[in-house]
Amino acid sequence: MYEQRFDGRKFDELRKIEAEVGVVPNAKGSARFRIGNTEAIAAVYGPDEVKPRHFEKMDRAVLMVKYDMMPFSVPDRAKPGIDRRDMEIAEVLMNALNRAIMVEEFPQMMININVYVTQADAGTRCASLTAASMACADAGLPMRDLVASVAGGKIGDSVVLDLTKEEEDFEGGATDVPMAFLPSKGEILLLQLDGKVSKEDLKKVIELGKEGAQKIYEIEREALKRRFSNESKS
Ligand code: CDP
């Protein structure tokens, strides 16, 4: 049984969020997204010439996505360098971003998206995807919509939104469902499942995810508006 959340949140409540755009002066676009004690920074470069050339696609841009956790992002010190988990997450991010960015507008070009997790307390792929999407918008890339991403799941008998690491580890492991949406299109870009869940509960998790993503979406839009209203003043 999991009746009360460790941090006192309601089951459908997100952690505290901070979103900021334009945090890396040397990138074409960048963003920082923090949700509780999980934080990701994304930097976007391009569109540029494809290197190496054989990655080139005649009909669209190629997205090169990198995901990395800083060694100091977790209590045990993450091993520096890219491991299999980092590669899997980069692939997941790339697949989602390919459907959000209008890649068909940049044939034979390459867009580099680098995401660094500075602090990890579960949900890093979701925070990374949200940060990457804001960074792409900041870079001026044409997009079908911003991506808003959050995990949901099941702890004991309770369906919950936005799990912490402590919750993920509760009683030998919760069910974790990372999700991503294009909110204004009503499309799901990412749905992963780690653990067991009934069809009915999965529907409830997705519903919570959708509602959470809508809140994240508003925060992303506010961050982008702040950035562009500051720019027009300077
Ligand atoms: O981060 P996300 O939930 O997207 O992916 P995960 O592979 O399910 O990892 C869950 C959490 O485990 C991370 O957010 C970190 O808090 C933690 N983790 C860790 O402590 N050390 C690692 N090398 C990898 C993950």
Side-chain angles (χ1 to χ4, degrees):
M1 288 290 271
Y2 186 64
E3 285 172 344
Q4 186 116 42
R5 295 187 83 166
F6 293 126
D7 57 11
R9 275 182 295 150
K10 295 190 208 107
F11 287 128
D12 62 351
E13 193 176 335
L14 295 165
R15 290 177 280 181
K16 185 171 171 279
I17 293 175
E18 289 172 23
E20 197 185 349
V21 174
V23 294
V24 181
N26 291 328
K28 174 105 181 278
S30 60
R32 178 179 72 87
F33 183 79
R34 184 178 188 88
I35 184 158
N37 291 324
T38 291
E39 183 181 69
I41 294 178
V44 173
Y45 301 84
D48 290 314
E49 207 180 306
V50 184
K51 285 191 201 128
R53 205 50 193 278
H54 66 267
F55 283 131
E56 190 175 276
K57 300 262 184 231
M58 297 313 281
D59 58 343
R60 61 184 174 88
V62 175
L63 300 185
M64 299 289 225
V65 180
K66 183 182 166 192
Y67 163 99
D68 199 4
M69 288 212 319
M70 298 285 97
F72 49 77
S73 64
V74 285
D76 286 343
R77 179 180 182 264
K79 213 169 141 216
I82 303 293
D83 61 17
R84 283 175 68 91
R85 175 178 171 275
D86 299 332
M87 283 192 255
E88 185 244 335
I89 294 181
E91 184 88 17
V92 163
L93 302 185
M94 188 198 66
N95 285 335
L97 290 166
N98 248 323
R99 289 180 48 202
I101 302 167
M102 293 175 162
V103 284
E104 64 281 5
E105 294 203 8
F106 304 102
Q108 296 173 278
M109 306 288 263
M110 177 175 77
I111 297 166
N112 270 290
I113 302 169
N114 297 339
V115 191
Y116 298 97
V117 174
T118 55
Q119 222 183 321
D121 182 16
T124 64
R125 74 195 61 207
C126 297
S128 297
L129 192 44
T130 304
S133 146
M134 291 196 313
C136 289
D138 182 43
L141 295 175
M143 295 173 77
R144 294 176 59 230
D145 196 5
L146 284 165
V147 183
S149 179
V150 67
K154 201 168 169 204
I155 312 173
D157 287 333
S158 306
V159 171
V160 298
L161 182 64
D162 188 21
L163 287 76
T164 61
K165 176 73 176 147
E166 192 184 13
E167 287 183 322
E168 271 192 11
D169 294 342
F170 182 71
E171 284 182 350
T175 297
D176 182 31
V177 184
M179 295 169 272
F181 303 87
L182 283 184
S184 75
K185 309 260 175 219
E187 283 177 38
I188 299 180
L189 293 192
L190 164 70
L191 184 67
Q192 289 186 289
L193 171 62
D194 184 10
K196 281 186 183 161
V197 70
S198 68
K199 207 169 157 186
E200 288 69 38
D201 281 343
L202 182 60
K203 276 188 192 157
K204 286 185 200 158
V205 171
I206 295 172
E207 210 38 57
L208 279 193
K210 236 187 224 173
E211 286 163 19
Q214 189 60 41
K215 290 180 188 144
I216 291 171
Y217 183 61
E218 300 303 332
I219 294 169
E220 292 180 80
R221 283 163 50 105
E222 284 306 316
L224 283 156
K225 273 190 214 156
R226 273 199 309 279
R227 159 81 153 153
F228 290 108
S229 66
N230 287 344
E231 214 164 65
S232 59
K233 275 181 218 149
S234 58

